[in-house]
Amino acid sequence: MEIGHAAKQVRRDRISMLDDAVLDHVLSFLPSKQAACAAALSSRWRDAFPGVHTLSLEEPSSVPTYDRNGWPTEVDPPEPFRAAITAAIVARHRKQGATPPLRALRVALQDYSYSDSVAVDQWVSYALKRAGSDLELDLRFRYLPIYCRRDRADTSEEEDDSDDDDDDDNNGEDDSDEEGDEDDDGNSSNSNVSSEDESVPSLSLLRYTVPKGLFSCSTLRTLRIGPCRLSPPSAISLPSLQELLLTRVSDADELTLPCCHNLSHVAVDASELGAFEYRGAVPEMPFLTTLGATGWFPAMPSLASCTVYICGGEVTAPEELASLTAFLQHFACAKHLRLRSKHMYPDIGKGAVTRIPAFWNLHHLELWGHLLHDGDAAATVGVTSRILRHAPNLEVLSLSFETGTGADIDDDGPLPTGRDNCKAMELLNAHRLKYNRYSVLDWPSGGAMIPCLANRLREINLVHYQGGRAQGTLAKFLLCNAPVIGELWCQFAEGPLWMQTELTREMKSWVMNEKANTVFR
C-alpha cells in the first residue's frame, strides 16, 4: 500500500496545480497554435489559452495535392487563417475574470488581400485598446523574413529570392514593389488585373493601410510591419517606441522620426526611400539598418533629401562625435542635406574616428545653428572647410544663423516681445546686428584648395545674417574663395537700417564675380 501511494504521488500533475496567472504566462511563450492545443489536455487547461498575454500566429503554407490525372485538388480544406486569428482575440475578450494586458501581437500571412482590411483593422484596434505598458506589434502581410539580424549579404539574397517568387505569383494582387513598373506595363505577368475591369480595386488598395490611431499609441514599444501603406498623419506621437522596422512600404518614399528619444533601433527598406528626417539626440550605433543599400557603409541609394536635427546641447564628447559621423554615413548618397544643431557646427572631422563621409552626389547643403558674435572664427572656418572638402560637387550652400528665443539658447539674451512691454528705444537697442567699421577680419587661407568653392559653388544663401566677427569671417571666407558664384541671397536679422546698409556694402566688396546677382533683404 505504501508503494502504491508513493507512485500516485509521483504521477501527480504539478503543472496543473499552478495558478491561472502562472499558466497563462507560461503559455504566452509558445506559438498560439500550440498554446491553444493545451485546452484539449484536460478541463483544468480549458481556460488557459484565453489568458495569454502574447498572440503569435503564422499562416501555414498550403501543400497542393494532385489526383491521378495530374489535376490539383485539395482534401479537407483548412479553416481560414483569418478566422483563427479573430477566434483567438474573441476568446481573450470573452474570458471570465480579469484578462492580462496584451504585450505582443504577431501575425504572419502568406499573402494579403484587400478583403482582409476590415479584419486586420479589428486586430490592430483590439491590440491598441488592450495594450499593456509595452506593446509589440509585428504584422507581416506577405510571408517574408521581416526581421533578420544576419549579414547584409544574406539579406540581399533572400530579397532576390522573394522577388523571383513575386514574378511567379499571378494571383492578381500587388506583387510588384515598384509602382512605376506597374504603370508602364499594365499587361505584366505580375498581375492579371485589367484596367477596364471596374469591379477590381486599384493596385494602391491591394496593400494594407495602417490606421491613424497606431501613430498616437503611447505604449507602442516595437513596430514591425510590411508590406503596407503607412499614410501617416501630420502629428505623430510615439513616446515609447524603441524599435521600428518597415519592410516594403509602398508610400515610404519619405520617412520622418520626430523626437522619438527612446528609439534604439530602426530598420527600413531604403531601396526606394527618397526623403529621410531625423530629430533627436545623437543616436547610439548601431541605430539605423538599411536594407537594399549599397557600399561599405549601407548608404541609401535613392535618397534625394535628408534632414538631421540634433536636439539638446552641443555635441563635444568624442563618443557622440563618432556616433554622429557614423550615422551620417547612411546619407552619403543624398542630393540635399540639412544639418542642424544647437551651435552652428559640431567639432567633427578632425580625427579618423570622426571622419566625415564623402558626399559625391550632394548638390545643396544647409547648415543650421547658433553662431556667437564673438565666437572662434578660425574654428568655424576650419569646420566648414572640412565639410566642404567632402562635397566636391556642391552647387548651393545655405547657412541659417539662428538667433535663439531665450537666454539658454542665445547667449546675447532674448528679444523683448509685445508692444506694451517695451519701448521703441528698447527694441532698437536689443537688435541682433553687429557692425564695427574698425573691426579687422582675419583672412582665412586654404580656401582655394576646396574643389567645390573653386569650381562648382554657384549660389550662397545667408539667412538671419547678423554680422559680427565670427559670421563676418565665415561669410568673407566663402565669398572671397568662390570665383564662379552666380547668386548671393542674404536676409538680415532685425536691426537698424544703417547697419544693414553698411553690412550690404561690406559683403558686396567680398564677392569675386562682379556679374553675380546679389539680393539683400
Side-chain angles (χ1 to χ4, degrees):
M1 295 296 295
E2 295 180 357
I3 296 177
H5 181 71
K8 291 182 179 179
Q9 293 292 337
V10 174
R11 295 173 183 173
R12 293 184 60 184
D13 186 3
R14 296 185 178 182
I15 298 180
S16 298
M17 298 176 60
L18 299 174
D19 296 336
D20 292 343
V22 179
L23 286 177
D24 297 341
H25 183 73
V26 172
L27 292 179
S28 298
F29 293 95
L30 295 176
S32 296
K33 182 178 180 180
Q34 299 180 10
C37 292
L41 294 178
S42 65
S43 59
R44 173 67 180 85
W45 291 68
R46 182 173 302 171
D47 297 330
F49 173 70
V52 297
H53 57 67
T54 299
L55 293 178
S56 180
L57 294 158
E58 183 173 332
E59 184 176 11
S61 58
S62 59
V63 179
T65 58
Y66 303 91
D67 58 12
R68 63 179 63 184
N69 296 325
W71 293 96
T73 182
E74 189 174 8
V75 181
D76 297 333
E79 182 182 0
F81 180 70
R82 283 72 172 168
I85 302 174
T86 304
I89 293 177
V90 171
R92 277 182 49 91
H93 182 70
R94 293 181 177 179
K95 184 180 183 299
Q96 297 180 357
T99 304
L102 189 65
R103 295 186 182 180
L105 175 62
R106 309 186 188 103
V107 176
L109 303 178
Q110 286 290 336
D111 211 345
Y112 172 81
S113 174
Y114 66 92
S115 59
D116 300 329
S117 60
V118 176
V120 178
D121 285 341
Q122 292 176 352
W123 305 340
V124 175
S125 177
Y126 177 83
L128 297 180
K129 291 180 179 179
R130 303 294 182 179
S133 57
D134 296 324
L135 176 62
E136 175 186 348
L137 198 59
D138 189 342
L139 300 177
R140 287 177 283 179
F141 298 109
R142 184 179 299 172
Y143 194 78
L144 294 173
I146 190 172
Y147 193 65
C148 181
R149 293 185 179 272
R150 288 179 290 178
D151 295 338
R152 185 172 58 86
D154 298 339
T155 305
S156 301
E157 294 178 1
E158 290 183 4
E159 291 181 351
D160 295 339
D161 295 340
S162 62
D163 293 339
D164 296 338
D165 297 339
D166 294 342
D167 296 337
D168 299 334
D169 190 2
N170 296 326
N171 292 332
E173 298 181 6
D174 183 15
D175 295 329
S176 176
D177 295 322
E178 298 182 358
E179 297 179 1
D181 296 342
E182 296 167 352
D183 297 336
D184 297 337
D185 189 7
N187 298 325
S188 175
S189 60
N190 292 340
S191 176
N192 293 331
V193 178
S194 174
S195 59
E196 299 177 355
D197 189 1
E198 298 180 356
S199 62
V200 180
S202 62
L203 294 176
S204 61
L205 299 178
L206 296 180
R207 290 197 177 189
Y208 177 69
T209 302
V210 178
K212 303 295 184 181
L214 183 63
F215 298 98
S216 59
C217 180
S218 59
T219 60
L220 184 62
R221 179 177 57 87
T222 302
L223 176 61
R224 309 187 191 106
I225 192 170
C228 66
R229 297 176 66 251
L230 289 180
S231 299
S234 57
I236 300 176
S237 177
L238 298 172
S240 303
L241 188 64
Q242 296 182 3
E243 184 176 349
L244 175 65
L245 190 148
L246 303 176
T247 304
R248 298 190 176 182
V249 178
S250 59
D251 61 342
D253 55 345
E254 181 176 353
L255 178 61
T256 302
L257 303 177
C259 294
C260 299
H261 297 286
N262 294 324
L263 195 61
S264 60
H265 183 255
V266 177
V268 61
D269 186 354
S271 57
E272 299 180 1
L273 189 64
F276 182 89
E277 181 177 353
Y278 173 81
R279 296 184 182 184
V282 177
E284 297 182 0
M285 304 306 294
F287 172 77
L288 182 63
T289 302
T290 54
L291 307 177
T294 59
W296 177 255
F297 284 90
M300 302 178 184
S302 60
L303 190 65
S305 176
C306 175
T307 301
V308 178
Y309 182 6
I310 302 300
C311 305
E314 185 178 3
V315 181
T316 56
E319 297 80 6
E320 291 184 334
L321 292 175
S323 299
L324 179 59
T325 53
F327 184 58
L328 293 178
Q329 300 285 349
H330 295 285
F331 319 117
C333 297
K335 299 178 181 179
H336 185 182
L337 180 62
R338 303 180 186 89
L339 300 178
R340 185 174 182 178
S341 60
K342 180 179 179 180
H343 289 279
M344 194 63 195
Y345 318 107
D347 193 10
I348 61 176
K350 286 187 176 181
V353 179
T354 61
R355 182 177 178 82
I356 304 173
F359 298 97
W360 294 98
N361 300 330
L362 189 62
H363 295 287
H364 188 181
L365 175 63
E366 295 185 30
L367 300 177
W368 295 57
H370 182 69
L371 188 59
L372 298 177
H373 294 148
D374 297 330
D376 191 346
T380 302
V381 173
V383 173
T384 307
S385 302
R386 289 193 294 270
I387 296 176
L388 295 181
R389 285 192 179 96
H390 289 79
N393 297 316
L394 187 67
E395 296 181 355
V396 180
L397 176 62
S398 301
L399 304 179
S400 181
F401 304 99
E402 296 184 352
T403 58
T405 57
D408 56 336
I409 300 178
D410 193 345
D411 293 344
D412 299 327
L415 279 173
T417 58
R419 297 182 178 180
D420 298 335
N421 297 332
C422 57
K423 299 179 181 179
M425 186 59 64
E426 293 178 354
L427 280 175
L428 185 62
N429 295 332
H431 63 79
R432 303 297 184 184
L433 294 184
K434 299 289 182 180
Y435 175 74
N436 186 358
R437 61 188 305 178
Y438 302 105
S439 177
V440 178
L441 302 179
D442 298 333
W443 177 259
S445 61
M449 302 300 294
I450 302 177
C452 66
L453 278 181
N455 305 314
R456 303 283 298 183
L457 194 64
R458 304 185 183 278
E459 180 181 343
I460 296 179
N461 303 312
L462 304 177
V463 182
H464 296 160
Y465 181 75
Q466 307 154 43
R469 184 171 178 272
Q471 296 184 18
T473 302
L474 179 59
K476 183 178 181 180
F477 164 75
L478 295 174
L479 296 176
C480 292
N481 291 280
V484 297
I485 184 175
E487 183 175 354
L488 170 63
W489 189 91
C490 179
Q491 179 185 11
F492 294 107
E494 295 181 358
L497 180 60
W498 72 269
M499 279 193 178
Q500 295 183 5
T501 303
E502 293 296 330
L503 292 175
T504 299
R505 180 189 57 80
E506 184 180 56
M507 295 184 67
K508 284 184 176 181
S509 65
W510 296 338
V511 180
M512 295 185 64
N513 186 6
E514 297 180 355
K515 298 181 180 181
N517 182 28
T518 58
V519 179
F520 297 90
R521 295 182 178 178

